C-alpha cells in the first residue's frame, strides 16, 4: 500500500512539472526571465545594414568579415553577456571578441575609419557636389567621376591615379609602393599580381574609397603584415565601414605604469621608429601627427603602431614619382575627410628625424615623467629636451636618442609581465 502511494505521488509530481513547463512555453516573457540560460532561448544581435555601413557599399571598406558578424562569431564588449545589444553607432571604436570555433575567444578592436558624423558629412558632400541633391546613390555618383573612370580603364595602379588624395601614405607615391598595394589588397582573392585584372569594378571602387577616407587598413594591416615582422596589429577583415583587427591597449593607458614598464615601452617605441626609418625594403615611414592613441600595447607587453592613419611613406629606392605641383590636383575623393583647401606637405621637406622629434615632444615626456630617482630622472629629462628641440640638427637628435636608450636599458626588468621577451631576456645580453 505504501509503495502504491509513493508511485502515485511521483506521477502527480511529474504531471505538475509537465504543466509548469507547458505554462512557461505559452508565456515567452515568463520563460525568458525564469531561465536565462535555457537552451531553447537564443538572444541575437539585431544587426542593421546602417550600423555596419553595408547600406553605403560599394562606397565602403569591404565585406570580407560580414559573415562572422551575422553568425555572432564577433561580439561586442564581452562574449559572456546574455544581453547582445549593439553599442551606439556614433562611437569611433569598440572592443569586441572573435572566435573561429565558438569555444575559444580572443579580443579584437572594431573601428570606424572616421566618425559616423564625418562619414555622414562626406556622404552628403558627394551627393550635393556631384548630383546637386541631398541624398543619392553614393556608388552611382562616385562611378561617374573622372578619377574613377580612369581607374576602370587602368591596368595598373599608377601615381597619377592617386594624386591629390589626402592620405599621407600617398603624398609621395612610388610605383613600387602602389604595386605592393594592389598585389596585397586583402579584400579580394590573392592574385599576387601587380596588375588590376583580378579587381572587379566594385573592388576598384572600394579600394579607391578606402585610400581616400583613411589608408589605415591598407597600410597598417595588409601591405606590411605583422607576420613579416612589421610593428602593426593583424588585419582580420572589414564589413561595410567597420574594420576588425587584433586588440591593443593605447599607450595612454600606461602613462601611470611602473618605472620598469615605462622604460621598456620607451625603448620599444624608439626601436619601432628606428625600424620605420631603416628596413630591408628601403621604405622610410614618417608620422604627420602622433598622440596617445597612435601606439598600442598587446597583452604580452609588445608595443605596436595602433593607428597608421597619419603614417606617410617615402620610397628611398625609387623616390617619389609625383612632383609637388601634381599633388595639388583635387577632386571629391580628396575632400572626403579633410578640408579641400588643406595644403599638402612637400615630399622634400620630410626629414629622417621628423617622427623622433614629435615622439620626444608629445609621448615620451608623459610616459617617463617623474618615474625615476635622481640623478637618472634629470638625465632622462635633459636628453628628451635635446631631442624635442632638435628641429634643425639631425645629428643632435640621433645622439640624444642614443644616449636616452643607454640610460633606459638597465632600468627595465626581466619577468613574466614582459611575455614578448620572457624568458629569452634571462639568457641574452640584448636585454
Amino acid at each position: 500500500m505504501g509503495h502504491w502511494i509513493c508511485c502515485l505521488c511521483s506521477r502527480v509530481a511529474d504531471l505538475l512539472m509537465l504543466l509548469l513547463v507547458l505554462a512557461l512555453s505559452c508565456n515567452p516573457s515568463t520563460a525568458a526571465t525564469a531561465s536565462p540560460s535555457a537552451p531553447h532561448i537564443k538572444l541575437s544581435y539585431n544587426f542593421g545594414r546602417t550600423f555596419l555601413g553595408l547600406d553605403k557599399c560599394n562606397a565602403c571598406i569591404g565585406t570580407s568579415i560580414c559573415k562572422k558578424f551575422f553568425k555572432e562569431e564577433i561580439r561586442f564588449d564581452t562574449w559572456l553577456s546574455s544581453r547582445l545589444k549593439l553599442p551606439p553607432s556614433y562611437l569611433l571604436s569598440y572592443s569586441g571578441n572573435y572566435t573561429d570555433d565558438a569555444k575559444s575567444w580572443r579580443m579584437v578592436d572594431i573601428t570606424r575609419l572616421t566618425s559616423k558624423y564625418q562619414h555622414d558629412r562626406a556622404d552628403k558632400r558627394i551627393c550635393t557636389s556631384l548630383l546637386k541633391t541631398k541624398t543619392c546613390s553614393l556608388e552611382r555618383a562616385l562611378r561617374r567621376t573622372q578619377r574613377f573612370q580612369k581607374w576602370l580603364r587602368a591596368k595598373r595602379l599608377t601615381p597619377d591615379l592617386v594624386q591629390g588624395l589626402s592620405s599621407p601614405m600617398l603624398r609621395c607615391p612610388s610605383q613600387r609602393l602602389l604595386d605592393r598595394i594592389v598585389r596585397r589588397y586583402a579584400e579580394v582573392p590573392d592574385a599576387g599580381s601587380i596588375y588590376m585584372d583580378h579587381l572587379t569594378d566594385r573592388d576598384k571602387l572600394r579600394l579607391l574609397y578606402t585610400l581616400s577616407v583613411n589608408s589605415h587598413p591598407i597600410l597598417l594591416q595588409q601591405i606590411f603584415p605583422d607576420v613579416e615582422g612589421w610593428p602593426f596589429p593583424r588585419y582580420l577583415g572589414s564589413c561595410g565601414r567597420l574594420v576588425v583587427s587584433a586588440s591593443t591597449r593605447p599607450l595612454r593607458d600606461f602613462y601611470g605604469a611602473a618605472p620598469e614598464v615605462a622604460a621598456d615601452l620607451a625603448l620599444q617605441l624608439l626601436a619601432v621608429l628606428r625600424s620605420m626609418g631603416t628596413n630591408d625594403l628601403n621604405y622610410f615611414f614618417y608620422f604627420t601627427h602622433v598622440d596617445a592613441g597612435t601606439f598600442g600595447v598587446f597583452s604580452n607587453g609588445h608595443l605596436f603602431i595602433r593607428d597608421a592613419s597619419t603614417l606617410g611613406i617615402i620610397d628611398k629606392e625609387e623616390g617619389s614619382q609625383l612632383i609637388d605641383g601634381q599633388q595639388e590636383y583635387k577632386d571629391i575623393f580628396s575632400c572626403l575627410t579633410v578640408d579641400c583647401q588643406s595644403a599638402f606637405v612637400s615630399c622634400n621637406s620630410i626629414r629622417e628625424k621628423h617622427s623622433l622629434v614629435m615622439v620626444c615632444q608629445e609621448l615620451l615626456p608623459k610616459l617617463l615623467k617623474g618615474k625615476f630617482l635622481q640623478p637618472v630622472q634629470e638625465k632622462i629629462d635633459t636628453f628628451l629636451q635635446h631631442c624635442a628641440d632638435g628641429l634643425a640638427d639631425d645629428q643632435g637628435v640621433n645622439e640624444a636618442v642614443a644616449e636616452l636608450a643607454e640610460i633606459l636599458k638597465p632600468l627595465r626588468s626581466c619577468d613574466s609581465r614582459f611575455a614578448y621577451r620572457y624568458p629569452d631576456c634571462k639568457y641574452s645580453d640584448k636585454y
Side-chain angles (χ1 to χ4, degrees):
M1 183 70 176
H3 175 72
W4 181 83
I5 293 176
C6 287
C7 291
L8 179 62
C9 291
S10 175
R11 290 182 181 180
V12 169
D14 289 343
L15 180 60
L16 289 174
M17 181 60 69
L18 178 60
L19 290 174
L20 176 61
V21 170
L22 290 174
L24 287 174
S25 64
C26 293
N27 188 341
S29 61
T30 304
T33 55
S35 180
S37 59
H40 64 281
I41 300 172
K42 180 174 173 59
L43 298 174
S44 298
Y45 286 121
N46 182 22
F47 273 115
R49 293 171 59 84
T50 301
F51 180 87
L52 295 170
L54 281 172
D55 58 325
K56 304 298 177 63
C57 284
N58 290 301
C60 65
I61 311 305
T63 57
S64 60
I65 209 165
C66 287
K67 286 184 179 179
K68 284 204 168 280
F69 276 105
F70 288 107
K71 289 167 66 178
E72 294 174 18
E73 292 175 346
I74 295 176
R75 293 187 177 183
F76 291 88
D77 294 324
T78 168
W79 66 274
L80 294 173
S81 174
S82 62
R83 290 187 170 187
L84 300 178
K85 293 183 178 180
L86 290 174
S89 61
Y90 58 80
L91 297 177
L92 189 59
S93 63
Y94 313 88
S95 60
N97 286 271
Y98 174 104
T99 185
D100 288 316
D101 56 14
K103 296 178 181 177
S104 58
W105 296 78
R106 51 187 164 129
M107 292 188 67
V108 293
D109 290 333
I110 306 169
T111 57
R112 300 182 188 276
L113 299 190
T114 68
S115 67
K116 190 174 185 302
Y117 168 77
Q118 289 175 303
H119 268 310
D120 292 343
R121 185 180 177 189
D123 294 343
K124 184 177 180 180
R125 184 183 294 126
I126 292 171
C127 294
T128 55
S129 63
L130 297 179
L131 298 182
K132 312 301 180 185
T133 60
K134 291 184 178 180
T135 58
C136 69
S137 166
L138 299 177
E139 179 174 358
R140 187 178 302 117
L142 293 177
R143 278 177 172 272
R144 293 181 179 180
T145 60
Q146 182 180 0
R147 188 191 293 265
F148 186 67
Q149 288 302 311
K150 288 177 66 177
W151 273 61
L152 289 179
R153 297 190 297 268
K155 300 286 287 183
R156 192 176 184 181
L157 185 59
T158 52
D160 63 294
L161 295 177
V162 299
Q163 65 177 313
L165 297 185
S166 62
S167 168
M169 182 182 75
L170 300 173
R171 289 179 186 173
C172 312
S174 69
Q175 188 60 58
R176 186 168 72 113
L177 175 63
L178 297 178
D179 287 344
R180 190 176 181 88
I181 291 174
V182 172
R183 191 171 64 247
R184 292 177 171 234
Y185 181 42
E187 285 298 311
V188 299
D190 182 16
S193 173
I194 63 174
Y195 297 101
M196 295 197 289
D197 297 336
H198 62 293
L199 300 184
T200 64
D201 293 357
R202 175 198 64 192
D203 298 330
K204 289 182 178 180
L205 181 57
R206 290 179 182 177
L207 176 57
L208 173 56
Y209 180 83
T210 305
L211 292 173
S212 302
V213 173
N214 189 330
S215 59
H216 169 86
I218 304 295
L219 169 61
L220 184 146
Q221 304 155 331
Q222 296 180 25
I223 63 176
F224 297 105
D226 66 311
V227 293
E228 295 180 4
W230 298 95
F232 302 124
R234 179 165 299 180
Y235 176 81
L236 297 173
S238 300
C239 183
R241 291 179 169 177
L242 292 180
V243 177
V244 183
S245 60
S247 177
T248 59
R249 289 176 60 192
L251 187 63
R252 69 171 66 90
D253 290 359
F254 296 85
Y255 284 168
E260 61 271 20
V261 174
D264 182 82
L265 292 175
L267 281 167
Q268 287 193 72
L269 185 51
L270 295 177
V272 165
L273 294 182
R274 281 197 298 271
S275 69
M276 295 288 93
T278 304
N279 51 75
D280 293 341
L281 291 185
N282 229 5
Y283 288 114
F284 169 58
F285 297 77
Y286 66 94
F287 286 97
T288 59
H289 170 78
V290 295
D291 58 36
T294 302
F295 297 90
V297 183
F298 281 124
S299 57
N300 65 357
H302 207 171
L303 181 137
F304 277 64
I305 296 175
R306 188 172 189 256
D307 178 5
S309 61
T310 62
L311 198 59
I313 303 178
I314 294 177
D315 191 334
K316 295 196 289 188
E317 188 173 302
E318 287 189 2
S320 171
Q321 296 189 20
L322 279 183
I323 62 174
D324 290 337
Q326 288 178 295
Q327 291 180 332
E328 296 304 319
Y329 171 87
K330 294 180 180 178
D331 63 359
I332 188 63
F333 289 100
S334 310
C335 311
L336 293 182
T337 57
V338 297
D339 182 356
C340 287
Q341 304 305 315
S342 300
F344 288 124
V345 176
S346 169
C347 298
N348 296 327
S349 68
I350 306 300
R351 308 287 290 276
E352 291 198 7
K353 49 113 188 263
H354 190 83
S355 298
L356 280 172
V357 171
M358 284 195 295
V359 166
C360 288
Q361 291 174 339
E362 301 294 333
L363 302 183
L364 289 179
K366 298 173 183 175
L367 184 63
L368 299 175
K369 182 178 180 180
K371 289 291 172 64
F372 308 97
L373 298 176
Q374 300 296 357
V376 173
Q377 185 68 55
E378 184 178 356
K379 290 181 180 180
I380 290 174
D381 295 342
T382 298
F383 286 120
L384 279 177
Q385 191 61 50
H386 287 164
C387 172
D389 292 341
L391 293 175
D393 184 4
D394 287 4
Q395 184 176 355
V397 171
N398 291 330
E399 289 176 355
V401 168
E403 292 285 352
L404 178 62
E406 289 303 313
I407 295 175
L408 292 173
K409 282 179 182 177
L411 299 177
R412 59 181 178 173
S413 62
C414 178
D415 58 62
S416 57
R417 288 176 297 171
F418 311 99
Y420 79 96
R421 59 180 174 87
Y422 181 84
D424 294 350
C425 54
K426 278 189 173 183
Y427 312 105
S428 174
D429 295 335
K430 177 182 176 184
Y431 299 106

